[in-house]
């Protein structure tokens, strides 16, 4: 991996292929490896840039207020910083899954002049409910005692479909490995930022770039009906439901996700 400096640390990233730039932003509490199948495929036609956002994977946490955490807006600013450091001043395709989608809404809000297109997978536009927010803050308070691997165990039933959990043990092994090496301080800081994220539903009508919305049929976090409503609110957006997949569509059904991405990108 390569690194670029940030105002509050540095960012590790993968940079592969040639062509129009496409940025892949991962979910919580994961890293760029959740995009491995997409990186391999898209690098045939695009310059693929897949960062580990600050604190995850090989990117150090750097400077952070432990009480406030890291906001989705700060992550979006750091994606823009990365693009500046790489001297990518033209338009990019932004692709985000789950937390990467929350970062994406902030990137659209602040940096729409840098966007060629937007692709949002398995994410939400609404803010957390009071119950969900309380759960995030509880994890932020306790993760140092729990350990990161417990977070993987807690989240797995929501990340994967029941069938995948029962028939593909390697998915759980990979999740334990990736989440287990995520520092508890990162999990705490980002959970606080996620709990504070705003409702962006009213912003959707203002999205003025080609947009693709992808969701797994059995996504328990951002269900298809909710993501269909997001697609309906964005002018001209395309909606694709991935059959027999949970929240982590990119690893459960990589071929179907890649096909949806390639069909959309070919029309740009």
């Amino acid at each position: 991996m390569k690194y670029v400096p940030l105002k509050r640390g540095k960012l590790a990233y993968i940079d592969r292929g040639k062509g129009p730039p496409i940025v892949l932003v991962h979910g919580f509490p994961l890293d760029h490896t959740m995009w491995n199948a997409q990186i391999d495929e898209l690098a045939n036609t695009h310059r693929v840039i897949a960062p580990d956002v600050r604190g995850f994977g090989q990117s150090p946490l750097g400077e952070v207020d432990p009480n406030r955490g890291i906001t989705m807006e700060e992550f979006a600013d750091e994606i823009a910083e990365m693009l500046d450091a790489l001297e990518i001043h033209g338009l990019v395709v932004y692709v985000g899954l789950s937390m990467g989608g929350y970062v994406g809404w902030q990137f659209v809000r602040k940096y729409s002049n840098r966007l060629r297109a937007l692709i949002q997978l398995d994410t939400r536009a609404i803010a957390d409910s009071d119950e969900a927010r309380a759960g995030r803050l509880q994890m932020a308070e306790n993760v140092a005692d729990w350990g990161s691997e417990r977070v993987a165990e807690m989240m797995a039933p929501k990340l994967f479909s029941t069938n995948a959990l029962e028939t593909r043990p390697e998915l759980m092994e990979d999740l334990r490995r990736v989440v287990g090496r995520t520092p508890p301080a990162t999990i705490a800081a980002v959970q606080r930022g996620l709990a504070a994220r705003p409702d962006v539903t009213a912003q959707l009508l203002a999205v003025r770039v080609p947009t693709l919305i992808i969701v797994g049929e059995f996504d328990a976090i951002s269900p298809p009906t909710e993501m269909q409503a997001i697609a309906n609110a964005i002018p001209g957006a395309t909606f694709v439901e991935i059959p027999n997949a949970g929240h982590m569509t990119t690893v459960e059904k990589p071929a179907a996700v890649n096909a949806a991405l390639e069909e959309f990108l070919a029309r740009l």
Side-chain angles (χ1 to χ4, degrees):
M1 297 192 78
K2 303 175 182 179
Y3 291 87
V4 293
L6 298 172
K7 293 175 184 176
R8 296 181 177 89
K10 62 181 180 179
L11 207 63
Y13 67 98
I14 291 288
D15 189 346
R16 281 180 50 191
K18 295 181 179 180
I22 186 166
V23 180
L24 310 178
V25 183
H26 62 80
F28 171 90
L30 307 166
D31 63 16
H32 78 279
T33 58
M34 57 152 281
W35 298 110
N36 279 347
Q38 289 69 49
I39 294 169
D40 289 343
E41 188 70 22
L42 294 174
N44 293 319
T45 53
H46 288 73
R47 180 182 178 183
V48 182
I49 301 157
D52 288 340
V53 300
R54 189 154 56 93
F56 297 92
Q58 296 186 44
S59 293
L61 180 58
E63 178 187 339
V64 61
D65 180 339
N67 295 315
R68 186 175 65 88
I70 305 176
T71 67
M72 301 303 101
E73 180 177 3
E74 286 175 299
F75 279 146
D77 290 340
E78 290 167 1
I79 297 299
E81 276 189 76
M82 177 189 71
L83 294 175
D84 288 341
L86 297 178
E87 299 185 346
I88 298 175
H89 303 302
L91 301 180
V92 305
V93 177
Y94 181 101
V95 187
L97 183 143
S98 196
M99 181 186 75
Y102 305 147
V103 177
W105 300 131
Q106 298 306 312
F107 195 88
V108 171
R109 183 177 67 84
K110 297 187 72 173
Y111 305 104
S112 60
N113 61 319
R114 305 186 75 154
L115 278 175
R116 181 181 182 217
L118 175 68
I119 302 174
Q120 298 280 63
L121 299 89
D122 302 278
T123 193
R124 311 186 80 183
I126 61 174
D128 278 342
S129 65
D130 290 343
E131 180 181 2
R133 188 176 300 110
R136 291 192 190 279
L137 296 177
Q138 181 185 33
M139 183 179 289
E141 290 295 325
N142 293 290
V143 66
D145 295 327
W146 293 348
S148 298
E149 285 198 8
R150 179 173 172 185
V151 174
E153 300 289 344
M154 293 168 65
M155 294 188 67
K158 293 184 177 180
L159 294 181
F160 300 110
S161 67
T162 301
N163 180 66
L165 284 172
E166 292 175 349
T167 62
R168 297 177 61 187
E170 75 277 6
L171 295 180
M172 192 63 216
E173 292 168 9
D174 286 345
L175 183 68
R176 288 193 191 98
R177 174 179 52 81
V178 173
V179 179
R181 68 189 183 200
T182 302
T186 293
I187 292 174
V190 176
Q191 282 287 44
R192 290 189 173 95
L194 287 165
R197 76 181 195 280
D199 187 310
V200 298
T201 305
Q203 175 187 320
L204 301 177
L205 186 61
V207 177
R208 289 289 187 259
V209 294
T211 300
L212 172 63
I213 302 296
I214 296 176
V215 65
E217 178 184 6
F218 301 124
D219 190 332
I221 296 175
S222 44
T225 51
E226 187 174 322
M227 292 208 70
Q228 177 74 72
I230 291 173
N232 291 345
I234 297 174
T238 300
F239 177 78
V240 175
E241 184 175 310
I242 305 297
N244 302 311
H247 189 65
M248 294 295 297
T249 49
T250 60
V251 295
E252 274 201 54
K253 298 293 179 181
V257 169
N258 288 352
L261 294 175
E262 290 178 320
E263 181 179 350
F264 175 78
L265 293 169
R267 299 200 305 266
L268 296 180

